[in-house]
Amino acid sequence: MQMLDTKIDTIIFDFGGVLLGLDKPACLKAFKDLGCNEIEYYLDNCRQQGFFLDFEEGKISNEEFFEQLKNLVGNKVSQQQIEHAYLQFLTDLPTYKLQLILDLHKKYKVILLSNINQFIFEYCKKTYFERHGLCLTDFFDKVYLSYQLGICKPDEQIYRFMIADSQLIPEHCFYLDDGKANVEMGKKIGFQCYCPKINEDFRFLFY
Protein backbone atom coordinates (compact mmCIF):
# COMPACT_ATOMS: atom_id res chain seq x y z
CA MET A 1 0.00 0.00 0.00
CA GLN A 2 1.35 3.40 -0.97
CA MET A 3 0.10 6.55 0.76
CA LEU A 4 0.18 10.01 -0.77
CA ASP A 5 2.44 12.66 0.72
CA THR A 6 0.42 14.43 3.42
CA LYS A 7 0.97 17.82 1.78
CA ILE A 8 -0.90 16.75 -1.38
CA ASP A 9 -4.16 18.66 -1.74
CA THR A 10 -4.82 18.35 -5.49
CA ILE A 11 -5.10 15.31 -7.77
CA ILE A 12 -4.68 15.96 -11.50
CA PHE A 13 -5.86 13.25 -13.89
CA ASP A 14 -5.10 12.81 -17.54
CA PHE A 15 -8.12 11.30 -19.30
CA GLY A 16 -7.35 8.90 -22.17
CA GLY A 17 -5.04 6.09 -21.10
CA VAL A 18 -5.44 6.86 -17.39
CA LEU A 19 -9.18 6.99 -16.73
CA LEU A 20 -10.52 6.08 -20.15
CA GLY A 21 -9.24 2.91 -21.79
CA LEU A 22 -7.77 3.30 -25.28
CA ASP A 23 -7.35 0.77 -28.09
CA LYS A 24 -5.37 2.35 -30.91
CA PRO A 25 -4.97 -0.94 -32.87
CA ALA A 26 -8.77 -1.40 -32.97
CA CYS A 27 -9.22 2.14 -34.28
CA LEU A 28 -6.52 1.71 -36.93
CA LYS A 29 -8.11 -1.55 -38.05
CA ALA A 30 -11.57 0.04 -38.25
CA PHE A 31 -10.26 2.81 -40.50
CA LYS A 32 -8.21 0.43 -42.63
CA ASP A 33 -11.34 -1.72 -43.06
CA LEU A 34 -12.91 1.40 -44.57
CA GLY A 35 -9.98 1.62 -46.98
CA CYS A 36 -8.01 4.32 -45.18
CA ASN A 37 -4.40 3.16 -44.80
CA GLU A 38 -3.08 6.68 -44.11
CA ILE A 39 -4.76 6.88 -40.69
CA GLU A 40 -1.73 5.53 -38.81
CA TYR A 41 0.16 8.80 -39.34
CA TYR A 42 -2.48 10.84 -37.52
CA LEU A 43 -3.32 8.81 -34.41
CA ASP A 44 -1.40 8.55 -31.16
CA ASN A 45 -2.41 7.79 -27.58
CA CYS A 46 -0.95 11.04 -26.23
CA ARG A 47 -0.63 13.61 -29.03
CA GLN A 48 -2.18 13.52 -32.52
CA GLN A 49 -0.74 14.72 -35.84
CA GLY A 50 -1.97 16.83 -38.74
CA PHE A 51 -5.61 17.90 -38.75
CA PHE A 52 -6.27 15.55 -35.81
CA LEU A 53 -3.92 17.77 -33.76
CA ASP A 54 -5.68 20.87 -35.13
CA PHE A 55 -8.94 19.37 -33.85
CA GLU A 56 -7.48 18.73 -30.39
CA GLU A 57 -6.20 22.30 -30.26
CA GLY A 58 -9.62 23.67 -31.25
CA LYS A 59 -8.34 25.13 -34.51
CA ILE A 60 -11.05 23.44 -36.56
CA SER A 61 -14.71 22.66 -35.78
CA ASN A 62 -16.43 19.28 -35.59
CA GLU A 63 -17.81 19.86 -39.07
CA GLU A 64 -14.43 20.81 -40.54
CA PHE A 65 -12.73 17.85 -38.89
CA PHE A 66 -15.20 15.29 -40.20
CA GLU A 67 -15.13 16.86 -43.66
CA GLN A 68 -11.35 16.45 -43.76
CA LEU A 69 -11.61 12.95 -42.30
CA LYS A 70 -14.21 12.01 -44.89
CA ASN A 71 -11.91 13.27 -47.64
CA LEU A 72 -9.08 11.19 -46.18
CA VAL A 73 -11.19 8.03 -45.96
CA GLY A 74 -13.14 8.52 -49.19
CA ASN A 75 -16.48 10.13 -49.99
CA LYS A 76 -18.23 6.78 -50.45
CA VAL A 77 -18.08 6.25 -46.71
CA SER A 78 -20.81 7.80 -44.54
CA GLN A 79 -20.11 10.05 -41.57
CA GLN A 80 -21.83 7.47 -39.36
CA GLN A 81 -19.28 4.84 -40.50
CA ILE A 82 -16.43 7.28 -39.86
CA GLU A 83 -17.69 8.18 -36.37
CA HIS A 84 -18.08 4.50 -35.54
CA ALA A 85 -14.51 3.78 -36.67
CA TYR A 86 -13.14 6.71 -34.68
CA LEU A 87 -14.94 5.63 -31.50
CA GLN A 88 -13.20 2.25 -31.68
CA PHE A 89 -10.27 4.13 -30.11
CA LEU A 90 -12.20 4.10 -26.83
CA THR A 91 -12.80 1.03 -24.70
CA ASP A 92 -14.40 1.94 -21.37
CA LEU A 93 -14.18 4.07 -18.27
CA PRO A 94 -14.50 1.47 -15.49
CA THR A 95 -17.05 2.08 -12.77
CA TYR A 96 -14.40 1.63 -10.07
CA LYS A 97 -12.44 4.58 -11.49
CA LEU A 98 -15.54 6.77 -11.47
CA GLN A 99 -16.09 5.80 -7.83
CA LEU A 100 -12.43 6.54 -7.07
CA ILE A 101 -12.81 10.08 -8.44
CA LEU A 102 -15.97 10.63 -6.40
CA ASP A 103 -14.18 9.39 -3.27
CA LEU A 104 -11.14 11.59 -3.90
CA HIS A 105 -13.35 14.59 -4.56
CA LYS A 106 -14.49 14.47 -0.93
CA LYS A 107 -10.95 15.05 0.32
CA TYR A 108 -8.95 16.67 -2.48
CA LYS A 109 -9.31 19.21 -5.25
CA VAL A 110 -9.65 17.01 -8.35
CA ILE A 111 -8.75 18.31 -11.81
CA LEU A 112 -8.94 16.84 -15.31
CA LEU A 113 -6.19 17.88 -17.76
CA SER A 114 -6.54 16.31 -21.18
CA ASN A 115 -5.47 16.49 -24.80
CA ILE A 116 -8.87 15.84 -26.34
CA ASN A 117 -11.22 17.09 -29.04
CA GLN A 118 -14.80 18.26 -28.73
CA PHE A 119 -16.38 15.21 -30.39
CA ILE A 120 -14.69 12.65 -28.12
CA PHE A 121 -15.13 14.72 -24.98
CA GLU A 122 -18.85 15.36 -25.50
CA TYR A 123 -19.37 11.65 -26.22
CA CYS A 124 -17.50 10.65 -23.04
CA LYS A 125 -19.19 13.25 -20.86
CA LYS A 126 -22.61 11.98 -21.85
CA THR A 127 -21.68 8.27 -21.83
CA TYR A 128 -19.67 8.07 -18.61
CA PHE A 129 -20.14 11.12 -16.40
CA GLU A 130 -23.78 12.04 -16.89
CA ARG A 131 -25.22 8.75 -15.73
CA HIS A 132 -27.32 8.13 -12.63
CA GLY A 133 -28.22 11.80 -12.29
CA LEU A 134 -24.61 12.96 -11.98
CA CYS A 135 -22.73 15.63 -13.93
CA LEU A 136 -19.11 16.53 -14.61
CA THR A 137 -18.85 18.87 -11.61
CA ASP A 138 -19.66 15.95 -9.29
CA PHE A 139 -16.32 14.47 -10.32
CA PHE A 140 -14.00 17.41 -11.01
CA ASP A 141 -13.46 20.87 -9.55
CA LYS A 142 -11.97 22.08 -12.83
CA VAL A 143 -11.59 20.64 -16.32
CA TYR A 144 -8.81 21.82 -18.66
CA LEU A 145 -9.16 20.58 -22.23
CA SER A 146 -6.75 21.19 -25.08
CA TYR A 147 -9.47 21.97 -27.62
CA GLN A 148 -10.87 24.72 -25.39
CA LEU A 149 -7.47 26.20 -24.46
CA GLY A 150 -5.81 25.88 -27.86
CA ILE A 151 -2.76 24.13 -26.39
CA CYS A 152 -1.76 20.47 -26.13
CA LYS A 153 0.44 18.78 -23.55
CA PRO A 154 3.38 18.61 -23.08
CA ASP A 155 3.48 22.34 -23.89
CA GLU A 156 4.38 24.00 -20.58
CA GLN A 157 1.85 26.77 -21.21
CA ILE A 158 -1.17 24.53 -20.60
CA TYR A 159 0.21 23.50 -17.20
CA ARG A 160 1.02 27.09 -16.24
CA PHE A 161 -2.49 28.19 -17.20
CA MET A 162 -4.02 25.46 -15.04
CA ILE A 163 -1.78 26.36 -12.09
CA ALA A 164 -2.66 30.05 -12.28
CA ASP A 165 -6.37 29.51 -12.93
CA SER A 166 -6.83 27.03 -10.07
CA GLN A 167 -4.28 28.72 -7.79
CA LEU A 168 -2.28 25.53 -7.36
CA ILE A 169 0.96 24.99 -5.50
CA PRO A 170 2.81 22.53 -7.79
CA GLU A 171 4.51 20.70 -4.89
CA HIS A 172 1.05 20.00 -3.43
CA CYS A 173 -0.22 18.36 -6.65
CA PHE A 174 -0.22 14.67 -7.58
CA TYR A 175 -0.39 14.19 -11.36
CA LEU A 176 -1.26 10.98 -13.24
CA ASP A 177 -0.56 10.77 -16.98
CA ASP A 178 0.30 7.86 -19.27
CA GLY A 179 2.42 10.06 -21.58
CA LYS A 180 6.10 10.03 -20.65
CA ALA A 181 6.71 13.51 -22.10
CA ASN A 182 3.74 14.85 -20.14
CA VAL A 183 4.99 13.31 -16.91
CA GLU A 184 8.46 14.75 -17.49
CA MET A 185 6.94 18.20 -17.91
CA GLY A 186 4.90 17.67 -14.74
CA LYS A 187 8.05 16.79 -12.81
CA LYS A 188 9.82 19.84 -14.24
CA ILE A 189 7.02 22.05 -12.96
CA GLY A 190 7.18 20.50 -9.51
CA PHE A 191 4.28 18.01 -9.44
CA GLN A 192 4.58 14.64 -7.79
CA CYS A 193 3.85 12.29 -10.69
CA TYR A 194 2.82 8.76 -11.53
CA CYS A 195 2.74 7.17 -14.99
CA PRO A 196 0.18 4.33 -14.99
CA LYS A 197 0.68 1.25 -17.13
CA ILE A 198 -1.95 0.28 -19.72
CA ASN A 199 -5.22 -0.67 -17.97
CA GLU A 200 -3.57 -0.41 -14.56
CA ASP A 201 -5.71 -0.38 -11.44
CA PHE A 202 -3.96 2.39 -9.52
CA ARG A 203 -6.33 2.58 -6.55
CA PHE A 204 -3.47 1.40 -4.33
CA LEU A 205 -2.03 4.91 -4.63
CA PHE A 206 -4.96 6.38 -2.73
CA TYR A 207 -6.45 3.70 -0.46
Side-chain angles (χ1 to χ4, degrees):
M1 179 182 296
Q2 180 175 343
M3 302 297 291
L4 289 185
D5 190 316
T6 55
K7 69 182 179 182
I8 295 297
D9 60 21
T10 302
I11 312 295
I12 304 167
F13 284 106
D14 176 36
F15 190 44
V18 174
L19 299 177
L20 179 70
L22 300 177
D23 191 342
K24 179 182 173 182
C27 186
L28 294 176
K29 181 180 185 303
F31 274 107
K32 289 177 180 179
D33 287 347
L34 295 178
C36 181
N37 294 315
E38 298 86 358
I39 194 68
E40 198 155 1
Y41 164 75
Y42 296 94
L43 288 177
D44 187 76
N45 282 3
C46 298
R47 186 180 173 96
Q48 313 303 332
Q49 300 292 332
F51 68 92
F52 278 74
L53 178 59
D54 289 341
F55 194 29
E56 290 208 334
E57 291 182 338
K59 294 176 180 176
I60 58 175
S61 66
N62 276 351
E63 293 75 16
E64 291 169 322
F65 171 76
F66 280 108
E67 184 63 31
Q68 291 191 51
L69 188 51
K70 191 172 183 181
N71 289 337
L72 181 69
V73 176
N75 288 324
K76 293 182 180 179
V77 177
S78 70
Q79 179 157 328
Q80 185 177 14
Q81 288 175 294
I82 291 173
E83 290 182 3
H84 177 76
Y86 193 19
L87 289 173
Q88 300 314 297
F89 209 148
L90 318 180
T91 57
D92 191 22
L93 202 172
T95 301
Y96 77 83
K97 289 187 178 180
L98 290 170
Q99 186 59 53
L100 171 64
I101 301 169
L102 291 172
D103 291 345
L104 292 173
H105 202 197
K106 298 172 185 176
K107 183 178 180 181
Y108 302 96
K109 181 181 290 186
V110 181
I111 291 174
L112 184 69
L113 175 65
S114 178
N115 287 353
I116 198 167
N117 62 63
Q118 182 180 2
F119 172 73
I120 294 295
F121 183 70
E122 292 297 332
Y123 171 85
C124 291
K125 183 171 70 168
K126 181 178 180 180
T127 304
Y128 302 116
F129 295 109
E130 295 181 348
R131 297 185 297 191
H132 311 300
L134 297 175
C135 62
L136 202 62
T137 55
D138 291 311
F139 296 90
F140 303 104
D141 293 277
K142 286 289 189 77
V143 172
Y144 297 96
L145 309 175
S146 61
Y147 83 88
Q148 293 178 338
L149 299 176
I151 318 163
C152 275
K153 298 177 293 183
D155 191 313
E156 187 171 350
Q157 189 178 352
I158 195 169
Y159 297 89
R160 294 299 179 189
F161 178 87
M162 174 184 66
I163 289 166
D165 185 68
S166 285
Q167 299 180 325
L168 305 178
I169 300 172
E171 292 75 18
H172 295 183
C173 298
F174 186 64
Y175 173 47
L176 295 89
D177 198 304
D178 67 319
K180 291 183 179 179
N182 301 338
V183 168
E184 288 306 311
M185 180 56 71
K187 290 178 179 178
K188 175 185 173 183
I189 287 169
F191 299 154
Q192 295 186 38
C193 299
Y194 185 77
C195 189
K197 300 177 180 65
I198 296 173
N199 297 321
E200 181 178 358
D201 179 351
F202 45 76
R203 284 178 290 183
F204 68 90
L205 295 167
F206 306 103
Y207 295 142

